[in-house]
Every structure is written in C-alpha cells, then in structure tokens.
Amino acid sequence: MTEFTAHISPIVLLDLSLLTMLIIVAFAMLRSRHLFAVVMLSGIYSLLSAAFFVSLDAVDVAFTEAAVGAGISTVLMLGGMLLTARREKPAAKDRAPVALAVVLATGAALIYATTDMPAFGDPNAPANDAVGQRYVEETPNDIAVPNIVTAVLASYRGFDTLGETMVIFTAGIAVILLLGAGSGRGGRKVVDRAPSDEEAQ
Amino acid sequence: MERAILRVTTKIFFAPIILYALYVQFHGDYGPGGGFQAGIIFAVAFILHAFCFGLEETKKALPQRALIVAMVIGLLFYAGTGVATMLLGGNLLGYDAIVPGSTHHAGQHYGILLVEWGVGVTVASTMLTIFYHFTGREPDIDQEDW
C-alpha cells in the first residue's frame, strides 16, 4: 500500500476562494438583523456550497443543494418571513460570553479533529476503503447503471431512500396538521395578524 | 395589463421547467439527478406560477386535494415496488426479481425508474403542499405599515 500525497493544483485556489466567500457570507448572516437579508444570504450560502460540491466532484450533492438549499428553502423561508416581523429581536448581551465560549470550544475541537482527517481523494481513506470500494467495483456487475450514486441511492440502499421519502411525507403531513385549518379540503382563507414593531422589539 | 413582461416570461418558462424536471427524473440512471431533484424542479414551476398569477390561480390549476392524493400515491408507489419484488419471489426492493434471468440487469433499471418516480411524486407534492400552506396564510398588514 503506497503512501498517498495530496495533489496540489490551481483548483486549490478556487476551493480557497469559495470557502473564504462561505465564511464571509456566514459572518454577514450573523451580523444582519434584517430577516429578508438573512434569507437571501442563506440562499447565497447554499449556492456557494453547491459550487464547492461541484469542485469536490460531488455533482449529485451539488444539484440537490442548489435545488433544495438555494431554491425551495429560500422560497419557504420568505413565505414564513412574511408572517412574522421583518427584523430579528436583539439578543440579550449578558449571554454573549457563554455562547462565545461554547462556539470557540466546539470550533477548536473540530479544527483539532481535521488534523486526523485523510487527504482529499486519498484511496486509503476509510470512506473509500471498505464499502465505497465495493460499490465502485461491483456496480457495473450488480446494477449495470452508469451513475453509481443512483445505484447506491435507489438500489443498494433502497430501503434507506424509502425512509427518506417517508420523512418528507411526514413533514408534509405535519405542515398540513399544524397550518391546515381546513385548507386541505380547499377551505377558507386563513389570515394571521402580523405582530407590530413594538411587539417584535 | 399588469406586469405583462413577468406574465409572458412565466408562461414561456413554465413548460420547459416541467420538461427539465422530467429529464432530470428519467435521466437519473445516467447522469446527476433523480427523484428528489426532479420533484423540486417540478414544484418550482408551480411556485413561479403562484408568484406571478397569485396563489389562488395556482390552486385552481393544481388543487391541494390532488396534492395530498399525490403524496400518498408517491410513497405507496415506492413501497409497492418493494412489495411487488417480494411477491415476485425476491427480497424487499430486490429489483432483479422484476426481470428474472436478464443478463444485463434489466430489472434493476425498471426498479430504479419505478422507485425514483415514487420519490419524485412525493417530493413535488409535499413541497407544493408546504408552499401552499405557508403562503396561503395572509398576514394582516398593520395600518402604520401601509
């Protein structure tokens, strides 16, 4: 088993710039109290992560992130935002040191953990070593579809995907139960009173 | 006519978006995509319609009652494929039982297409249901906000 050394290429610059933009957008979302701006920035964040997934060769994940993260969840957040105040309540200042300590401790632990992570594309990495290797080698013989991701998603792990579909179905049922008010039968229009600015403060 | 450019653009784009959703749906074996992404693209076409023509018009084209039926049908389609493979003598979701003795795993192709169709129908109808329920509630605008 030969030692794997990560290949440094100009793509690294692209990755770095994408990750830097992700961090900038994340900080902008933290700083902003305007909920409309936060929703739009979260859409941009999803689009940037989709671009990052493309550069990691995970096109299926990128496609999903662009459709779900940047597309539908932005729309749903906007729809939800229209029902509430446009500005976020200012957070209580006295809790800030505790939150900062928790975030710093978690961040330090995560950064410490990255030192043990295998290099990107390492064939000896645990993810590629056992079952991943089998999927790549056996898909042409077992499933005979060109897209290995689809083979894993729909055939090898078809039962998992059935569970995921049930999760989405359950989410839809929950929304109908919570917000329905007879609209499932095409019923009456529902009107919510928007909180005034004084209440939102 | 109000917002003529928006209306015309939406009308032009509506059919290609649906067509693209179907492409993503049925091309999932060969390229990126599949039921999840296709369902969302399908839902997006109707969301665009709702933004341009109003939610009530979209509800006339695709009523909430039909969406609930589609949600159930999609999930049962997926689970039913699994049960069908069991009845044909295979395991749950063991698609090779659909076309036994095929040398190029034709059963896997059919099985994947069937379950992806179930996923697509469920995702599209659920996303539209959630969208209908959130945007169907109209906030009462305060007097000062006018």
Side-chain angles (χ1 to χ4, degrees), chain A residues 100-180:
Chain A
L100 189 66
V102 170
V103 168
L104 283 180
T106 316
L110 287 175
I111 288 171
Y112 175 68
T114 55
T115 55
D116 275 348
M117 267 177 70
F120 171 62
D122 187 351
N124 306 323
N128 296 332
D129 212 19
V131 72
Q133 186 70 32
R134 208 196 113 85
Y135 286 150
V136 172
E137 280 170 0
E138 293 300 318
T139 294
N141 306 327
D142 282 352
I143 319 285
V145 297
N147 187 355
I148 294 174
V149 177
T150 303
V152 174
L153 184 111
S155 190
Y156 282 120
R157 304 215 166 168
F159 198 54
D160 278 12
T161 312
L162 178 60
E164 284 172 33
T165 315
M166 274 179 192
V167 167
I168 291 175
F169 178 79
T170 314
I173 295 292
V175 168
I176 291 174
L177 287 175
L178 287 171
L179 301 177

Side-chain angles (χ1 to χ4, degrees), chain A residues 9-11 45 49 51 69 79 92-93 141 147 156 165-167 184 193 201:
Chain A
S9 69
I11 300 291
Y45 189 90
S49 6
K93 284 268 187 274
N141 306 327
N147 187 355
Y156 282 120
T165 315
M166 274 179 192
V167 167
R193 200 178 63 84
Q201 288 299 313

Side-chain angles (χ1 to χ4, degrees), chain A residues 24-58:
Chain A
I24 293 171
V25 172
F27 272 104
M29 275 162 78
L30 277 178
R31 298 297 306 167
S32 177
R33 295 264 167 256
H34 241 290
L35 288 184
F36 183 77
V38 172
V39 170
M40 285 299 143
L41 283 170
S42 78
I44 292 170
Y45 189 90
S46 290
L47 214 54
L48 283 172
S49 6
F52 185 60
F53 289 140
V54 171
S55 94
L56 289 177
D57 280 344

